[in-house]
């Protein structure tokens, strides 16, 4: 080798963090491009996070939650996609798609391998000299505590945000008393088919905090429970006022299942199974003499005691293991700097997502990419098909096919919903701040030439 030549890392694998839908799709696209992937999954099985909400039905049908490269990889095994017009549960998605895909990838997926750090080999984030020529070193810890280092040519972080739910506190920090009340606070949609979980909420008064699809789902489940179990009641806590968009797009939503979910939440309120507390920004959680919780708002309002709290206030990315990399992240959303304005819920109130691929997902640190839910940071509007397009573009770039990498083409359904979870809307000015109803639904053709 010439003394002036630059060592190549092409023989090294691309490490993919997370064996969820987007991580496995990334692996499939890498294989299609002739690049060796290594998928590292912290959990004991494929789709660990998805399995945590196995009881929840997706609002996207099968046709929109499988990846084309993954389907090609599965084809020789005899796998056939379920009816594209039907809606899988999280359990269906994991068992009928993710599990077969992981089996097709075989040893390219490692389980119980938690990534605890990523850096440039021999360089912390301060050092400039020779940085871009160095491979990545990925530090992992196995379930038994053993630590290992893996050398990689690039890193695709598809670890998602499931492990870091946002707290009750309206300022983004845990409310006072939230942590001591952990035995009565859940951050997940309850599985009321589980007898133990059902008993936890049956006949109880439960506060549901949040305004998105997860909150709609929890309200609908609790309303069904209330029909069978007297005394069951939900208190829906909204940081904003109720507007025309509070319950989602309804019949105007091009994702019909999502629209129907909002209508079920609306029915829960109208039928008396739930009551709404609007403009309520939780500051603290107190306990009464019976151990029940009293939520207190920033303006001093106190709600009647509740037995349980379900906090569904969104998720945020865990960036701790990427601290030695030079990431370019938006200061609000914690999404890649170039992507953030395209998905910012303060601006994009109707789910408009302009084209994005490797260019918008790149960082000052070359060769590292956040994809899937993680790429959206705190923005709540991610769809699986967006993630599949992200990894298609990135793997094309890693293969040196820049034309394909920049040819980002995507068709997304109009959400039918205005007003993102990040908006600070008062009831009287919701219309002005993006909280009003959307215009007539239309399919958004997302591709070359869309406005930026």
């Amino acid at each position: 080798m010439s003394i002036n030549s630059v060592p190549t890392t092409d023989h090294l694998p691309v490490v993919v963090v997370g064996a969820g839908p987007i991580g496995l799709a990334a692996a499939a696209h890498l294989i299609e491009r002739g690049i060796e992937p290594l998928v590292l999954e912290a959990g004991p099985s494929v789709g660990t996070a998805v399995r945590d909400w196995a009881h929840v039905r997706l609002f996207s049908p099968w046709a929109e939650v499988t990846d084309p490269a993954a389907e090609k990889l599965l084809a020789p095994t005899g796998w056939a996609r379920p009816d594209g017009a039907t809606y899988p549960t999280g359990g269906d998605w994991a068992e009928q798609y993710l599990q077969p895909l992981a089996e097709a990838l075989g040893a390219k997926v490692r389980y119980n391998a938690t990534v605890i750090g990523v850096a440039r080999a021999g360089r912390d984030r301060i050092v400039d000299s020779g940085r871009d020529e160095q491979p990545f070193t990925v530090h992992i810890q196995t379930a038994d505590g053993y630590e290992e280092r893996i050398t990689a040519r690039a890193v695709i972080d598809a670890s998602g945000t499931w492990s870091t739910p946002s707290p009750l506190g309206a300022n983004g920090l845990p409310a006072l008393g939230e942590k001591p009340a952990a035995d009565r606070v859940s951050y997940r949609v309850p599985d009321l088919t589980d007898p133990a979980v059902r008993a936890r909420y049956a006949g109880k008064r439960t506060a549901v905090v949040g305004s998105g699809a997860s909150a709609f789902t929890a309200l609908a489940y609790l309303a069904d429970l209330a029909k069978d179990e007297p005394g069951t009641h939900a208190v829906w806590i909204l940081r904003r006022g109720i507007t025309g968009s509070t319950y989602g797009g309804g019949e105007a939503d091009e994702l019909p299942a999502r629209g129907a979910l909002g209508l079920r939440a609306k029915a829960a309120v109208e039928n008396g199974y739930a009551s709404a507390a609007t403009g309520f920004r939780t500051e603290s959680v107190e306990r009464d003499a019976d151990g029940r919780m009293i939520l207190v708002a920033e303006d001093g309002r106190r709600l009647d005691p509740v037995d349980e709290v379900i906090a569904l206030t969104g998720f945020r990315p865990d960036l701790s293991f990427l601290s030695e990399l030079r990431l370019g992240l938006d200061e609000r959303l914690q999404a890649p700097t170039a992507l953030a304005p395209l998905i910012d819920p303060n601006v994009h109130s109707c789910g408009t997502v302009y084209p994005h691929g490797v260019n918008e997902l790149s960082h000052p640190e070359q060769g590292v990419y956040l994809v899937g839910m993680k790429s959206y940071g705190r923005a709540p509007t991610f769809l699986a098909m967006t993630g599949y397009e992200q990894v298609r573009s990135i793997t094309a770039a890693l293969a040196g096919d820049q034309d394909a990498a920049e040819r980002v083409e995507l068709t997304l359904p109009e959400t039918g919903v205005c007003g993102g979870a990040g908006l600070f809307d008062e009831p009287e000015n919701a219309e002005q701040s993006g909280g009003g109803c959307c215009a007539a639904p239309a399919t958004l053709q997302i591709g070359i030439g869309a406005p930026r």
Side-chain angles (χ1 to χ4, degrees), residues 101-403:
L101 180 53
E103 291 170 0
L105 289 166
K108 293 177 173 59
V109 183
R110 287 184 58 180
Y111 302 103
N112 295 308
T114 301
V115 175
I116 57 175
V118 181
R120 287 286 186 179
R123 308 287 192 278
D124 63 20
R125 67 183 297 160
I126 299 174
V127 179
D128 290 334
S129 178
R131 186 177 193 86
D132 291 345
E133 288 74 44
Q134 295 301 310
F136 291 94
T137 177
V138 181
H139 295 216
I140 67 171
Q141 186 173 55
T142 62
D144 59 6
Y146 175 75
E147 293 186 8
E148 181 181 344
R149 296 181 181 179
I150 296 169
T151 306
R153 62 178 284 191
V155 176
I156 298 175
D157 182 359
S159 59
T161 56
W162 182 250
S163 63
T164 47
S166 295
L168 275 175
N171 60 5
L173 300 175
L176 294 175
E178 179 175 347
K179 291 183 179 179
D183 61 322
R184 299 284 186 91
V185 181
S186 170
Y187 302 88
R188 305 285 188 255
V189 175
D191 179 5
L192 298 181
T193 64
D194 182 321
V197 176
R198 186 179 180 88
R200 176 174 177 174
Y201 296 99
K204 304 290 180 59
R205 181 177 167 87
T206 299
V208 177
V209 186
S211 59
S214 294
F216 292 166
T217 303
L219 288 167
Y221 286 0
L222 289 171
D224 288 343
L225 181 63
K227 296 172 185 176
D228 299 329
E229 299 287 348
T232 303
H233 188 77
V235 182
W236 186 17
I237 298 178
L238 292 151
R239 293 173 181 171
R240 295 182 282 168
I242 291 181
T243 71
S245 67
T246 296
Y247 299 103
E251 295 178 358
D253 199 322
E254 279 206 8
L255 293 176
R258 179 172 54 192
L261 192 57
L263 295 177
R264 287 184 66 192
K266 184 178 182 180
V269 174
E270 292 178 343
N271 293 333
Y273 298 121
S275 53
T278 61
F280 192 98
R281 301 176 184 278
T282 307
E283 183 176 65
S284 62
V285 181
E286 299 178 357
R287 292 285 188 110
D288 67 9
D290 297 322
R292 302 177 81 195
M293 291 172 290
I294 300 171
L295 302 189
V296 183
E298 294 174 344
D299 61 8
R301 279 186 293 162
R302 303 165 65 86
L303 296 184
D304 290 339
V306 296
D307 302 286
E308 299 284 343
V309 174
I310 302 173
L312 301 169
T313 55
F315 296 87
R316 54 188 60 180
D318 176 8
L319 302 168
S320 60
F321 62 87
L322 304 175
S323 62
E324 291 306 315
L325 298 178
R326 298 176 176 180
L327 301 181
L329 297 174
D330 178 76
E331 67 274 10
R332 296 164 299 165
L333 296 184
Q334 296 178 296
T337 305
L339 175 61
L342 309 183
I343 61 174
D344 185 353
N346 289 288
V347 178
H348 293 283
S349 59
C350 288
T352 307
V353 180
Y354 296 138
H356 69 278
V358 68
N359 291 336
E360 290 78 10
L361 296 168
S362 294
H363 294 273
E365 191 81 69
Q366 298 179 27
V368 61
Y369 306 96
L370 310 185
V371 300
M373 281 291 297
K374 186 117 179 215
S375 72
Y376 271 45
R378 299 191 184 198
T381 52
F382 177 76
L383 294 174
M385 62 175 73
T386 305
Y388 297 151
E389 179 63 12
Q390 288 178 340
V391 296
R392 185 207 62 76
S393 174
I394 288 168
T395 54
L398 290 173
D401 188 349
Q402 199 62 27
D403 288 342

Side-chain angles (χ1 to χ4, degrees), residues 50-139:
V50 174
R51 293 178 191 275
D52 272 355
W53 48 271
H55 58 292
V56 178
R57 191 167 300 279
L58 280 73
F59 51 66
S60 295
W62 273 112
E64 296 176 2
V65 297
T66 58
D67 174 77
E71 290 194 20
K72 290 180 185 177
L73 188 65
L74 283 165
T77 70
W79 180 87
R81 186 182 69 192
D83 181 357
T86 61
Y87 295 84
T89 63
D92 296 335
W93 204 16
E95 291 299 328
Q96 298 178 42
Y97 171 62
L98 299 180
Q99 186 65 42
L101 180 53
E103 291 170 0
L105 289 166
K108 293 177 173 59
V109 183
R110 287 184 58 180
Y111 302 103
N112 295 308
T114 301
V115 175
I116 57 175
V118 181
R120 287 286 186 179
R123 308 287 192 278
D124 63 20
R125 67 183 297 160
I126 299 174
V127 179
D128 290 334
S129 178
R131 186 177 193 86
D132 291 345
E133 288 74 44
Q134 295 301 310
F136 291 94
T137 177
V138 181
H139 295 216

Side-chain angles (χ1 to χ4, degrees), residues 410-427:
L410 183 61
T411 300
L412 288 176
E414 168 62 68
T415 65
V417 182
C418 290
L423 295 179
F424 190 100
D425 293 347
E426 299 295 345

